[in-house]
Each structure stands twice: as C-alpha cells, then as structure tokens.
Amino acid sequence: MTDPALSLSDVSLSLMGNAGPVDILHDITLDVAGGETLGLVGPSGSGKSSLLMLMGGLETATSGRITALGTDITRLGEDALARFRRDNMGVVFQSFHLIPTMTALENVATPLELAGHRDAFDRAAAELEAVGLAHRSGHYPSQMSGGEQQRVALARAAAPRPRILLADEPTGNLDEANGAAIIDMLFGLRDRHGATLILVTHAAELARRCDRVVRLRDGRIEPARAAAE
Amino acid sequence: MNATLAYRLARRELRGGLRGFRIFLACLALGVMAIAAVGTIRASIQAGLAEEGAALLGGDAVVRFTYRFATPEELEWMDSVALAVSETTDFRSMVVVEGDPPERGLTQVQAVDDLYPLIGAVELDPPLPLEQAFAGTDQAPGAVLEKVLADRLGLAPGDTFRLGTQEFVLSAILESYPDNSGGGFGLGPRTLVRLADLAGSGLLGEGTLMESNYRLDLPEGADLAALEAKAETKFQDSGLRWQDARDGAPGISQFVDRIGAFLVLVGLSGLAVGGVGVSAAVRAYLAGKTEVIATLKTLGATSGTIFLTYFYQIGFLTLIGVGIGVVLGALVPLALSPLIVERLPIPADFRLYPAPLAEAALYGILTAGIFTLWPLARTEQIRAATLFRDIGGGGGRLPALRYLLAIAGLLAALVGAAIWFSGTAFLTLWTTGGIAMALGMLVLAALLVGWLARRFRRAARGRPTFRFALGAIGAQGGETTSVVLSLGLGLSVLGDHIRGAVAWPWPVGAGRGGPDRRQPAPGHFRRIARGRPVLLLRRYPARPDRRVPCPPRRGSGGERL
C-alpha cells in the first residue's frame, strides 16, 4: 500500500466559546490514500467542516497529529502552513470566497502568482477555459452568477495542480443544475490531475460518487462504509 | 515575502476606491495642511525680515557701545568703511509735564543726529519732516513722542515737557520709525529728539546708562561678514557690538521662530487627534478585508506578503493625504497673503518654501506610520479559519514585538524631528508628554465607560433600545475606545486653543499705539515670552529712500556731549 496522502492520528479539536471550551472533534484517526476520493458526511454540527479545515491546516488541532504528503502539518507555523497549502493543496468553499476587487482571471492567477509562476496568467486563462469561463475572464465576482463564481473558485483551486483538493460543501449555495455541473467539473479536475479529493457534503448523490464515505456524529467517526454500500 | 506581488495585490485591492478612506484622508490632510501653512507663514516672515533687514536695522550695519560713545579711532574706522554713519543714543528717562502735581512718564529716549534715519522714513502725525519737527519754537527745541506716552501724559502737539532740565515742545506724534525692531529692548514708549538738543539736559554724562549706536550705510555689495570680523578683531575687548542686515531684527526673528515652533507643536497635537481618526479608519477598512485576508492565507500568502499588501495601500493613501495637506498648506497662505501682509506689523515675503512643506510632510508620514502600523500589524493575526468560523481578527492581542519596536522608533523619530525643527526640546517633550498622558487617561476613561455599560446592561432589561445601546458601548473590541479618544483629545485641544485665543492679548493696536502689555499671556505663551523679551512692533514703513544722499562727512551730527 502506498503512503497515505493524509493521515490523522488521535486528532481532537476544542474551541473556546463564550461559555467555556467546546469540544468539536474527538480522537479522529483516519488515513486517506493518494488519489482517493473521500466524502465527509454527517448532520450539521457534527464537525465535518472542522475536520476538513484541520486537514488543510486552516485550523489547528488541540491534540493529535496530522500528516499530509509526509509532512507533519501540526508542527508547522502559520506561514509554513500557508506555503504548504500553496504548494500542495487547493480549497473550494461553499461561499466561493473570491476576492471581489479582482477579475476572474486575477482570482485564478493569484495562487499561481503566490507560488512564483511566471506564466501565472497564461495558466489561469487555461484553467478558466477548462471550466468554460474564458469569456468571463475580465469580469469581477459581482458581475457573475453563483454557479459561475463557484466555477472560478474551482479553477483557482485547481490551477496550481494541487495534490490534495479539499471542498467544503461546494454545491451548498447552488441550484441543482449548477450543483451537478460543479460536481462534474470537480471530479473531472481530480481525474485530470490525479489529486486526492476530500469533500464535505450533505448530498447523498455526491457522496455516492466518492470512493469512500466517512460519517461523523458529535465529533466522532461512525464506522466507515464503502461508497458502494 | 514577495514585495512585487504584494504591490500587485495592493493595486488590485485599491480598485475598491477611496470611499472608505474619506475620514483617513481628511484627518491627515487637515493636520499636514495646518503645519505646512504655519511653516510657510513663518518662512515668509523670516524671508521678509532677511530681505528688509537693513530697513529694520536702520542701516546696513550698526555698531553699538554701552555706556560710552565711540572713540575717535573707532569713528575713523567706521567713516573709512561706510558711505555715511548716523549716530544715535538710547537711554531711559522720565518725561515730565509741569503741573500740580507734575505728570511723569517713563520713556525710552532716542537722540538722533541730522542724518537720521539713514534708511527708511519716520512717519509723524501731523505729517511733518523730521527736521521741521525737531526745529521746535524759539523757546524750546522740538521732540516727538509715541501716542501711548502722549496720551498718558495728556500731551498734544504744541504742549511742552521736560527731559532732565531741558524743555521740549511736542511737535508731532511718532507713528513709526524704521529701526524700531533692531534697537534692543525698550522699557517705555519712544521719545525722539535731536542729539544736540540734549546738551543742556544734564541727562548724558559720566555714568549714564546709555547705549550709542552708529548706523552704517555701506557701499553696494559690501562683505558684511568680513566687516564684522574686521571690526571685532580691530576693536577686540572694546565692548563693540556688531549687528547687520543679515539678521536685522534678531528679536523678532526669534519671536517668530518660537511662535512658529509653538504653532507647529499645536499642529502636531492636531495630527495626534487626526491620528486617532486615521487609526480608526484603517481598523474599519481592515475589518472589512478580513475575508480577503483569510482567503489570501488559504491560497498560500504569508503574513509578510499580506502585511506588505495592506502597508502599500495605506502608504499610498498616506501619500495622497499628505500631498493634499502639503498643497493646501502651501496654497492657503499664498491665497491669503494680501490679507496677512495687510495686517502683519512686520514684513513677509509670501511664496513657496519647500522646507516647511517637507517638514509638514515628514510629520504627516511619521504620524500616519505611528497610528496605522498597529492595525496593520493585526493583519498577521487574521487566520485562514476566519473563512468558516467567526473568530474575529485577532483584535485582543498585541502586535508582534517588531511592530511595537517600529512604532516606538517612528514615535522617537517624530519627537526627534519636532525637537530638531522647533529647536525647543523642553516644549516639545512636554507637549509629547501631555499628549501621551491625555491619550492614556482617555483610554482609561474608555475602559471605565465600557465596564460601566456592561455592568448596567442587566439593569436595562425590559428596555431593549437602552440595552442595545449599552451592549454596543460595552462590547469587547467595539468602537468605544476610538470614539472616546477622538472626542476627548479633539475637545481637549480645541478647548485649550479657545482658552488661549480668549486670553491672548491680540495685537489689535499694533501700528496704532500697540497692544496692551498688561494683559496676561496664556500659559503656553508665557514661557516663550519669559525666555527672551518680546519686541512689540509697529507697522514699519515702506522704504522708498533705501539710499539716502550721502554727505561728504558725517557733518552736523551734533556736538558730542
């Protein structure tokens, strides 16, 4: 068996609330193989998004260890984590989080520029074309529909050819048709780049397309079941 | 950290426009404008004084002796270097008006020769030639007095009075005279008489506390510095004192310097008030950018790149604000110059002076740095997790040590620059201490207000409007501190200036009898006034006759007494 792309060992997360610490995740142990597509499902508040953010180094675990592509990311500082994400990860959010003062092309080019690619804009243009938005490259997010914004966000996440793609309810803010199109594109990108894809979803249809589904309840993993089941 | 990329990102971010920065720009521009305008006016007056140095001095140079006249050797040297030499004598005396009881008034007598005034003109009321005024009547020689003294003694032209044992007839009221600002410190209003007419007064003799002045009309292009050096070498230890047109009115010059420095410190206080607004504007702007910053971090931007991105933006806006302030600070005095020159009792040459504008720009940039670095440093504390969880912008934590050190360095640079430019370390440090103390007290007051609001919120149950208001005031990381700081500091500075303006004896009588010297100056002026006697000025006349006809010899300068 190849080394896992992501490995979580006894990971817990507690956050400080107004009324004291709140336990979000408890002793999560999980391996995600390279190239695998993992669906994180569960009821609201079960800790799916928090787990995804821990995997992306966007959140800091209270205890436990997370290894991504052989690097223990729990030992990295904020800047080192940012560089690690820049070089290895792409993240897609439910709310798109495009930068409103940048055009679609500039939004897609930004991670490439941060990574120091001289051909950032050429590559960004190719990615926009891949998601069918070449004609919208000069438009600002406010001039695009939700579906178009999410396609730009997808192109932005995929542009640096990340080895790990994280998607947090990527269809949550979209209608059915747009949601289906986004899912097709997401899986298409995974297939094209051979990335490991981990996505949080409430959609059963989307979960069924994953290689494996992990169900969370009250911050704990329920017994794993194969996607085929 | 990628500076070029940060610059590109900053440019893209600035496409959002300046809408959120109107207060930022207004605070900065107004503060810089005030300092630039004061500096420009100060430079204009200094240039005017330098340009009109000879007229203010009453000659190209003046040689002074205390308690004695010049020796023949000294006179010979002055005659050899000058086209003309005018001799005057200054001393204090009492003007006595006979009566029962007799009226007495302290006066500063200036006894002059026939060449006086060497440069400039004396203005009398009624407008007589000075020679005619001195001619007097058959019974007594003539004299002229300043209006304030004549009024105090109830004298009108044609009346008589005594100086020592010599009787004089008041020929006219002395309106103005050309060397009124360079002649040293006078304790009383001026009386002008002919030197020769004091021969019988008994006032000038052995032991008289007098000063003799020899005003020199020098050839065009005379090397003043060389002549000064020569005089001081040739007559070393003789008590000779040299003054020339390079600094024709050192008293006024210093006074203007001090007042200018003081007003710049007032402007700096204003900038500190504006700085609170600047800081609040930047904080509000960055709060609106939290999502963008978190997104950039998610995409792989390091803290340094993000700090630089927003540093460039704020830096660019600072340059705009400072630029507006500098332009206005240069143009407003120029636009108002006819009005200012009309009301100013001293000469001023209004034009563009780069030095005070650069000084104001430096203050503006340093102040903006001090007040924006703190909120800018907070961008480092914004975490990528903010995108999916409301965890704030790291508002409660202090910025990293390097930023605190940078702020301290900028503050030291600002205070150092203010000391350097104002030349008054004492006043600058006290001003800085005062501002710091005021800021500290206002922060404590804001904390107290917030604490009280939280404490009384429960008591407001059942009154939702009141409870919401108290909740907003008491909220952690809210705007209470900023509002209390802005209002408190602004009102403190405003109140102090109004108090100063009400208490200050504005020289409304300048040129018309002078201001009332008995009025107390406000505290911050008193220190300046104590430092060096301040000359009270009259409107000085135009100088149509810059070069007077030069007789072959000093001639009838009056019989030496």
Side-chain angles (χ1 to χ4, degrees):
Chain A
M1 183 181 166
T2 57
D3 287 339
L6 269 165
S7 178
L8 287 79
S9 173
D10 294 325
V11 172
S12 296
L13 175 67
S14 295
L15 295 173
M16 188 55 70
N18 288 333
V22 180
D23 293 331
I24 308 292
L25 295 167
H26 305 269
D27 302 322
I28 302 288
T29 296
L30 175 69
D31 282 347
V32 185
E36 183 182 10
T37 299
L38 177 74
L40 294 174
V41 297
S44 294
S46 59
K48 307 183 296 293
S49 291
S50 297
L51 181 58
L52 191 79
M53 296 307 143
L54 280 175
M55 291 173 172
L58 300 171
E59 187 65 275
T60 308
T62 311
S63 64
R65 186 176 153 183
I66 303 169
T67 306
L69 304 170
T71 301
D72 182 357
I73 63 171
T74 49
R75 300 171 78 92
L76 299 181
E78 275 280 308
D79 281 350
L81 275 171
R83 281 190 283 269
F84 185 82
R85 276 194 300 272
R86 182 191 69 192
D87 296 334
N88 301 292
M89 291 180 171
V91 186
V92 181
F93 295 95
Q94 179 179 349
S95 306
F96 326 134
H97 290 308
L98 297 179
I99 297 173
T101 53
M102 294 188 195
T103 63
L105 184 66
E106 287 165 346
N107 263 291
V108 178
T110 298
L112 296 166
E113 290 179 284
L114 286 167
H117 293 289
R118 288 181 179 277
D119 57 349
F121 279 82
D122 294 338
R123 285 176 60 173
E127 289 297 334
L128 271 181
E129 195 168 355
V131 297
L133 286 178
H135 63 293
R136 301 284 259 162
S137 63
H139 288 79
Y140 289 92
S142 60
Q143 297 168 319
M144 291 186 279
S145 69
E148 287 173 325
Q149 289 188 54
Q150 191 61 301
R151 281 148 74 186
V152 174
L154 264 182
R156 182 178 68 183
R161 307 278 189 275
R163 293 165 69 187
I164 298 172
L165 258 175
L166 306 172
D168 184 13
E169 300 194 41
T171 60
N173 276 358
L174 304 175
D175 59 38
E176 199 172 322
N178 271 311
I182 289 295
I183 291 304
D184 286 345
M185 283 177 193
L186 189 60
F187 278 84
L189 286 172
R190 184 217 48 185
D191 294 341
R192 206 160 63 239
H193 304 315
T196 303
L197 172 63
I198 301 157
L199 58 91
V200 170
T201 184
H202 279 113
E205 183 62 30
L206 178 53
R208 269 196 289 276
R209 292 181 65 170
C210 298
D211 299 331
R212 184 159 58 112
V213 172
V214 167
R215 183 172 295 278
L216 286 163
R217 183 175 294 278
D218 296 332
R220 297 177 197 279
I221 294 179
E222 287 192 337
R225 62 179 85 168
E229 292 173 4
Chain B
M1 191 184 332
N2 187 331
T4 316
L5 175 61
Y7 172 70
R8 284 205 301 271
L9 294 174
R11 274 181 49 194
R12 290 173 199 166
E13 279 286 81
L14 280 172
R15 287 177 192 155
L18 303 179
R19 198 176 40 203
F21 282 98
R22 280 190 285 239
I23 290 176
F24 177 98
L25 292 174
C27 290
L28 208 52
L30 284 174
V32 171
M33 183 193 80
I35 294 175
V38 166
T40 297
I41 292 172
R42 182 176 59 173
S44 303
I45 292 173
Q46 282 168 335
L49 291 174
E51 210 169 87
E52 303 293 344
L56 290 164
L57 201 60
D60 293 317
V62 59
V63 174
R64 300 185 199 281
F65 300 95
T66 302
Y67 307 152
R68 72 176 180 89
F69 289 98
T71 63
E73 190 190 359
E74 288 160 345
L75 281 171
E76 191 182 336
W77 180 80
M78 286 187 268
D79 282 336
S80 71
V81 298
L83 300 172
V85 180
S86 168
E87 182 183 51
T88 65
T89 305
D90 269 51
F91 60 95
R92 263 169 284 158
S93 187
M94 299 298 285
V95 170
V96 181
V97 180
E98 297 299 349
D100 188 21
E103 287 284 335
R104 292 169 188 275
L106 183 65
T107 183
Q108 189 74 20
V109 179
Q110 185 170 14
V112 304
D113 63 10
D114 290 343
L115 286 178
Y116 180 87
L118 208 51
I119 293 173
V122 171
E123 288 182 3
L124 301 176
D125 179 25
L128 304 173
L130 189 58
E131 190 181 5
Q132 190 182 331
F134 284 157
T137 62
D138 293 341
Q139 285 74 39
V144 294
L145 304 181
E146 282 193 85
K147 187 174 190 312
V148 66
L149 180 59
D151 286 350
R152 192 182 306 158
L153 296 173
L155 290 172
D159 293 343
T160 57
F161 64 87
R162 269 196 303 110
L163 279 175
T165 57
Q166 177 66 53
E167 188 167 88
F168 288 90
V169 59
L170 176 64
S171 305
I173 298 299
L174 179 59
E175 290 277 306
S176 70
Y177 47 104
D179 53 348
N180 60 343
S181 55
F185 175 46
L187 278 180
R190 182 74 53 155
T191 299
L192 225 59
V193 297
R194 196 159 44 194
L195 189 56
D197 295 334
L198 285 177
S201 68
L203 292 173
L204 288 173
E206 201 72 34
T208 302
L209 300 178
M210 48 78 81
E211 184 179 71
S212 61
N213 307 298
Y214 297 85
R215 289 183 171 78
L216 312 182
D217 182 13
L218 297 168
E220 281 297 342
D223 186 344
L224 294 170
L227 282 172
E228 179 184 14
K230 200 168 179 181
E232 286 177 351
T233 309
K234 190 171 174 66
F235 303 108
Q236 205 174 7
D237 302 326
S238 69
L240 174 147
R241 299 194 315 281
W242 175 279
Q243 191 188 343
D244 59 50
R246 289 172 299 172
D247 189 7
I252 301 172
S253 189
Q254 279 198 8
F255 174 71
V256 170
D257 249 4
R258 291 287 172 95
I259 288 291
F262 169 76
L263 289 176
V264 165
L265 292 177
V266 171
L268 278 176
S269 310
L271 259 183
V273 178
V276 176
V278 162
S279 182
V282 172
R283 220 172 37 248
Y285 174 71
L286 292 175
K289 290 291 177 186
T290 302
E291 184 185 320
V292 173
I293 293 168
T295 302
L296 286 170
K297 287 205 167 180
T298 303
L299 297 177
T302 59
S303 306
T305 301
I306 286 170
F307 172 82
L308 264 188
T309 298
Y310 289 93
F311 178 80
Y312 285 147
Q313 292 178 54
I314 301 303
F316 175 70
L317 291 164
T318 297
L319 291 181
I320 291 179
V322 168
I324 293 171
V326 165
V327 169
L328 290 176
L331 293 184
V332 168
L334 283 181
L336 296 179
S337 61
L339 202 64
I340 299 172
V341 167
E342 170 66 22
R343 301 189 68 81
L344 213 57
I346 46 179
D349 179 13
F350 279 91
R351 51 192 156 91
L352 281 180
Y353 293 96
L357 300 182
E359 182 185 344
L362 178 67
Y363 289 146
I365 289 168
L366 289 173
T367 306
I370 290 165
F371 282 95
T372 59
L373 208 48
W374 189 294
L376 276 172
R378 289 270 176 81
T379 58
E380 287 201 349
Q381 296 168 0
I382 294 173
R383 294 173 52 206
T386 310
L387 287 181
F388 64 98
R389 181 174 292 121
D390 181 15
I391 53 174
R397 284 158 52 197
L398 279 177
L401 181 63
R402 61 182 179 279
Y403 294 115
L404 294 177
L405 290 175
I407 291 169
L410 287 171
L411 189 60
L414 179 68
V415 174
I419 290 173
W420 174 267
F421 286 120
S422 69
T424 54
F426 184 83
L427 193 60
T428 308
L429 289 174
W430 271 106
T431 304
T432 309
I435 292 170
M437 197 182 293
L439 282 172
M441 287 173 68
L442 288 167
V443 168
L444 289 177
L447 292 175
L448 181 66
V449 167
W451 180 79
L452 287 172
R454 284 191 295 278
R455 193 168 174 78
F456 286 105
R457 197 165 50 174
R458 282 182 197 155
R461 281 178 184 165
R463 281 170 287 181
T465 314
F466 189 42
R467 189 159 53 82
F468 294 157
L470 287 177
I473 293 170
Q476 300 281 0
E479 292 301 315
T480 304
T481 306
S482 173
V483 170
V484 170
L485 275 179
S486 300
L487 271 180
L489 203 56
L491 290 174
S492 301
V493 171
L494 189 66
D496 186 56
H497 293 173
I498 290 172
R499 187 180 64 84
V502 169
W504 176 247
W506 294 102
V508 288
R512 300 171 198 86
D516 184 350
R517 297 165 199 209
R518 291 164 300 181
Q519 291 252 359
H524 40 246
F525 280 94
R526 250 179 251 139
R527 178 160 295 287
I528 298 169
R530 272 204 300 269
R532 184 180 174 90
V534 174
L535 291 163
L536 297 168
L537 306 171
R538 305 296 183 270
R539 190 177 302 283
Y540 97 108
R543 22 166 289 199
D545 50 349
R546 168 67 181 80
R547 289 285 165 195
V548 292
C550 180
R553 284 283 307 158
R554 182 153 51 94
S556 54
E559 190 182 330
R560 298 183 58 71
L561 302 166

